[in-house]
Amino acid sequence: MAVLVLGGAGYIGSHTVYELIDRGEDTIVIDNLQTGHIDAIHPDSKFYKGDIRDKEFLDNVFKKEKIDAVIHFAASSLVSESMIDPLKYYDNNLYGTMTLLRSMVENNVDKIIFSSTAATYGEPENIPIKETDRTVPINTYGETKLSMEKMFKWVSVAHNIKYVSLRYFNAAGAHKSGKIGEDHLPETHLIPLILQVPNNKRENVKIFGDDYDTKDGTCIRDYIHVTDLAQAHILAIDYLKKTGKSDIFNLGNGVGFSVKEIIDSARKVTGHPIPAEICPRRSGDPAKLIASNEKAERILGWKPVYTKPENIIESAWRWHKNNPSGFKD
Ligand code: UFG
């Protein structure tokens, strides 16, 4: 099987490429390297540098390679940036996906797995969150991802395209080889920011609000290892090949941990006191996001392996300790 991975130089994309290659699949990567890293691309994959908004470029790749399925990670994904520059998100996420779908339809490629997010739910109505729960995004990022899901739905009705949308909760951790991991600029995610303290890159970690209605007042999230996420994409391709049915799945561990609990866990893993400072709430943060992963388990047969925060943080720490400045490029 030949799989085209759009955004295969990014965090979750590169980890998925490693799993595909481990399984012996022919893997072709497209990335514009705006946020991805050349060193994150698996050496055994075939790489085309380009942008998914460039239809001629996409058409050429589809003509050269015989693609069985596409996995689409190529999107902008910072909540705060999406509120400052919403049109960048409409352009990259929606116009990019529209261009990709045009090219897929014209080149007769009919299977796609793509990254969606817990941000499609907005403030959750239930915990744990089910795929059938209300989706009312509270930021542009979540709105564009929900619109992408709807674009797939209507395009699949008109054309013979089948899709699986995977709604990630909080992706974290790094590949077991230590060769690839998380490297965002700017970094906004909790675990890499915490680990900057024992790496002597910052003095303390900021806790954004301790007055939420949760057990210790800090926000609760469902942290899911990036390799577990990667495995779900492969199961989703198998599912589409077997059933030809489009669907949407949550991907999380189904268990929530508070910001304070994650910091404590990082203290245990690193042996560093990691001082923390209580700061005001960050705007747009829901108090609690926990996935129901029952559907992914039942239908895809997905079972996360990294179920404890310590295991997730250990793998992240191995990467950050050995690569304090991230990738070389
Ligand atoms: N946090 C801190 N201090 C920090 C960074 C984060 O206290 O320095 C807190 C946040 O307030 C939040 C939690 O840690 O409560 C997790 O924050 P992240 O920024 O790591 O992740 P988010 O939950 O904000 O974001 C994730 C995904 C997004 C997705 C969003 C849905 O990374 O892609 O969930 O709400 F859109």
Side-chain angles (χ1 to χ4, degrees):
M1 178 168 70
V3 182
L4 175 64
V5 182
L6 304 162
Y11 175 43
I12 306 172
S14 59
H15 285 77
T16 303
V17 171
Y18 269 63
E19 296 310 303
L20 284 164
I21 285 174
D22 256 12
R23 206 174 81 149
E25 310 295 356
D26 286 337
T27 308
I28 299 110
V29 169
I30 285 182
D31 204 294
N32 63 9
L33 296 181
Q34 269 173 21
T35 54
H37 304 275
I38 189 91
D39 289 339
I41 301 172
H42 196 293
D44 296 341
S45 61
K46 196 163 176 184
F47 175 52
Y48 291 91
K49 184 174 177 212
D51 197 291
I52 62 162
R53 289 163 294 188
D54 180 349
K55 182 155 177 303
E56 207 182 311
F57 162 73
L58 285 181
D59 285 342
N60 278 334
V61 176
F62 279 121
K63 286 199 167 67
K64 263 198 207 147
E65 309 288 343
K66 219 195 131 339
I67 307 291
D68 298 299
V70 174
I71 311 185
H72 175 25
F73 297 98
S76 300
S77 62
L78 294 176
V79 171
S80 52
E81 183 190 53
S82 80
M83 298 305 283
I84 296 163
D85 192 359
L87 292 175
K88 175 178 176 182
Y89 280 68
Y90 279 89
D91 184 34
N92 208 5
N93 297 1
L94 282 175
Y95 178 66
T97 301
M98 198 172 105
T99 311
L100 166 67
L101 278 168
R102 278 220 172 96
S103 186
M104 284 178 65
V105 169
E106 285 175 26
N107 290 284
N108 301 312
V109 178
D110 63 356
K111 285 180 218 54
I112 180 161
I113 315 299
F114 76 100
S115 316
S116 188
T117 167
T120 52
Y121 294 108
E123 281 291 344
E125 54 177 336
N126 299 304
I127 296 288
I129 305 171
K130 288 205 175 98
E131 290 82 351
T132 45
D133 284 356
R134 174 185 71 193
T135 46
V136 188
I138 53 169
N139 51 58
T140 316
Y141 167 64
E143 188 69 47
T144 58
K145 287 284 175 166
L146 186 60
S147 305
M148 278 164 71
E149 291 189 352
K150 291 182 179 167
M151 194 190 297
F152 280 105
K153 176 177 145 193
W154 295 112
V155 171
S156 76
V157 172
H159 304 285
N160 193 28
I161 285 197
K162 302 294 172 203
Y163 67 92
V164 168
S165 167
L166 299 174
R167 291 179 178 163
Y168 313 149
F169 282 64
N170 287 60
H175 193 258
K176 60 179 190 292
S177 66
K179 287 186 181 155
I180 53 170
E182 193 166 5
D183 179 5
H184 295 115
L185 198 67
E187 190 50 82
T188 60
H189 294 112
L190 180 65
I191 293 176
L193 286 172
I194 294 174
L195 294 176
Q196 284 180 4
V197 181
N199 242 351
N200 300 317
K201 299 227 137 211
R202 66 171 55 234
E203 281 182 4
N204 62 20
V205 59
K206 308 212 171 336
I207 297 178
F208 296 146
D210 69 346
D211 56 351
Y212 285 95
D213 183 16
T214 58
K215 54 188 168 187
D216 62 17
T218 66
C219 287
I220 293 184
R221 293 289 181 273
D222 182 336
Y223 294 88
I224 180 75
H225 196 276
V226 64
T227 300
D228 284 325
L229 288 181
Q231 286 298 344
H233 293 75
I234 294 176
L235 292 171
I237 296 184
D238 292 346
Y239 171 77
L240 272 191
K241 279 173 70 181
K242 206 165 75 193
T243 68
K245 279 198 224 155
S246 298
D247 214 335
I248 297 176
F249 299 94
N250 283 342
L251 298 181
N253 262 309
V255 187
F257 292 93
S258 72
V259 173
K260 281 187 175 167
E261 285 175 326
I262 293 296
I263 297 172
D264 270 343
S265 180
R267 288 178 179 134
K268 279 190 205 120
V269 168
T270 61
H272 189 285
I274 312 184
E277 181 192 348
I278 307 292
C279 296
R281 290 181 178 198
R282 189 173 69 175
S283 76
D285 274 342
K288 230 183 200 188
L289 291 173
I290 303 173
S292 160
N293 60 15
E294 182 276 328
K295 185 176 173 190
E297 189 174 335
R298 177 168 43 86
I299 297 181
L300 297 179
W302 181 63
K303 204 142 182 47
V305 173
Y306 293 82
T307 52
K308 295 197 182 86
E310 281 78 12
N311 303 138
I312 296 177
I313 294 170
E314 255 161 33
S315 79
W317 179 226
R318 199 173 322 123
W319 158 254
H320 289 291
K321 199 170 49 178
N322 294 329
N323 304 274
S325 305
F327 289 100
K328 284 186 201 77
D329 57 324

